[in-house]
Amino acid sequence: MRRAAHARSRRPSPAPLPGFALGLALVVGGPPANAQEANLTPAATQPAKGRITLKSQYRWTRYIGNERDVSEHRIDHRLQFGVSRTVVAQLTVPTIARVDLLDGGSDDDDNGLGDARFTMKWRFWQADPGGLDTTRASVFGGVELPTGTGDLSSHSVDPYMGAVFMIVRGRHGVSQSLSYQFNTGTDRDNIGPGTNADDVLELGTAYLFRLSPARWGPDSHGAWYLAGESELFYETNGDTEWLLSPGVLYEGMRWAGELGVRLPVVQRVDNRPETDWGWYAGLRVLF
């Protein structure tokens, strides 16, 4: 329901929907799997042909501004399928529970599905100089579909495209991504960058340092990484937001776990609530 109709008295937050609870269970207690990518930044990696990777990432984010104080619980369920050695198909379906506290003590609660995203990614270049070192580049494109529940949807079909470059040398890894989403709808009452009627440009940067082991050997079965990530969003209405996200990552042979926080550094936002802060936890599994 839009703000114009917010006249309800305050009530308890919505009970988690079944899919939301299932996704949270996957995050905190799923089976092992493999993954080779940063926590938040798109990567030029993908499952082998015929293999499936599932990632469930929980995010809690607080947004403040424009007479709103929003707490959002979100789990993005991402399924990847290796179509060929260089091509992957990806489906991402969010589940969301949101409490929107308004001026005057009333609130507007929503929970359900968010808009699904279907993506195709092509790794067009790869060079492996030796050992675990690699350099890779991919392009991707897709569409965000209006599958969300009520106000959790943009109510529009929104195409997007982008590219990502990744380099790993020794204990250091860097990923750089750039994407642009063409928003075709007229909705101007959502939260978060790129969720309203204006197009959004996103620049993502990730740096990973392998804490342990210092050197890979025959007995190495997993690795701990320190992650530092940057998310820069520019919307065509002029809103700009830059977030920094320190975190940790553990990668096993068939699974990976991640944990971190998201903190705003620069904000020039007039048309939606600003990101106050947030945190995330995720699990990636290779089948």
Side-chain angles (χ1 to χ4, degrees):
M1 181 177 294
R2 301 295 174 209
R3 283 202 302 265
H6 290 159
R8 298 179 296 204
S9 61
R10 181 132 182 215
R11 63 181 189 282
S13 300
L17 59 154
F20 185 84
L22 175 61
L24 182 58
L26 285 171
V27 168
V28 300
N34 185 31
Q36 301 291 327
E37 62 184 67
N39 300 347
L40 301 171
T41 306
T45 57
Q46 59 196 62
K49 180 180 179 180
R51 302 300 297 271
I52 294 174
T53 299
L54 172 66
K55 174 177 178 177
S56 291
Q57 185 183 79
Y58 167 80
R59 295 187 187 188
W60 178 86
T61 309
R62 186 184 184 194
Y63 300 92
I64 297 178
N66 283 6
E67 301 181 349
R68 303 177 75 177
D69 185 344
V70 182
S71 293
E72 180 180 87
H73 304 266
R74 177 189 183 106
I75 297 180
D76 286 330
H77 313 276
R78 188 195 71 187
L79 190 68
Q80 288 185 321
F81 175 73
V83 178
S84 70
R85 188 177 63 86
T86 59
V87 177
V88 63
Q90 176 178 304
L91 177 66
T92 304
V93 179
T95 52
I96 301 171
R98 181 183 295 168
V99 178
D100 190 347
L101 183 63
L102 307 171
D103 283 353
S106 62
D107 63 16
D108 181 28
D109 302 339
D110 293 291
N111 67 85
L113 295 176
D115 288 345
R117 295 168 68 90
F118 178 74
T119 308
M120 295 295 295
K121 183 169 66 173
W122 172 45
R123 188 181 64 224
F124 63 89
W125 186 63
Q126 177 174 346
D128 300 326
L132 299 176
D133 293 351
T134 186
T135 305
R136 306 180 183 189
S138 298
V139 292
F140 60 88
V143 62
E144 185 176 270
L145 302 170
T147 59
T149 304
D151 292 344
L152 300 178
S153 175
S154 66
H155 308 290
S156 60
V157 177
D158 304 321
Y160 54 88
M161 59 188 301
V164 57
F165 174 79
M166 183 183 76
I167 182 169
V168 176
R169 292 293 184 270
R171 300 172 70 177
H172 306 273
V174 176
S175 291
Q176 182 69 63
S177 71
L178 179 68
S179 65
Y180 191 91
Q181 179 164 312
F182 303 87
N183 289 328
T184 64
T186 59
D187 195 339
R188 296 189 176 276
D189 198 37
N190 283 321
I191 64 170
T195 60
N196 291 303
D198 302 286
D199 297 353
V200 60
L201 177 72
E202 180 178 353
L203 180 68
T205 306
Y207 169 70
L208 271 65
F209 176 74
R210 192 175 71 236
L211 296 170
S212 175
R215 292 182 179 273
W216 280 95
D219 298 329
S220 299
H221 300 292
W224 285 94
Y225 294 86
L226 184 65
E229 299 187 68
S230 166
E231 302 171 275
L232 177 63
F233 303 95
Y234 173 78
E235 297 172 82
T236 51
N237 59 14
D239 285 353
T240 304
E241 200 163 42
W242 179 28
L243 308 179
L244 291 182
S245 302
V248 293
L249 168 67
Y250 176 79
E251 289 186 342
M253 299 302 294
R254 296 181 61 85
W255 69 279
E258 56 194 30
L259 179 69
V261 296
R262 303 173 71 222
L263 304 171
V265 177
V266 174
Q267 292 177 303
R268 297 185 178 91
V269 178
D270 299 317
N271 300 282
R272 58 174 175 81
E274 297 179 343
T275 302
D276 185 44
W277 76 284
W279 68 276
Y280 66 89
L283 177 71
R284 289 174 266 159
V285 182
L286 175 65
F287 294 97

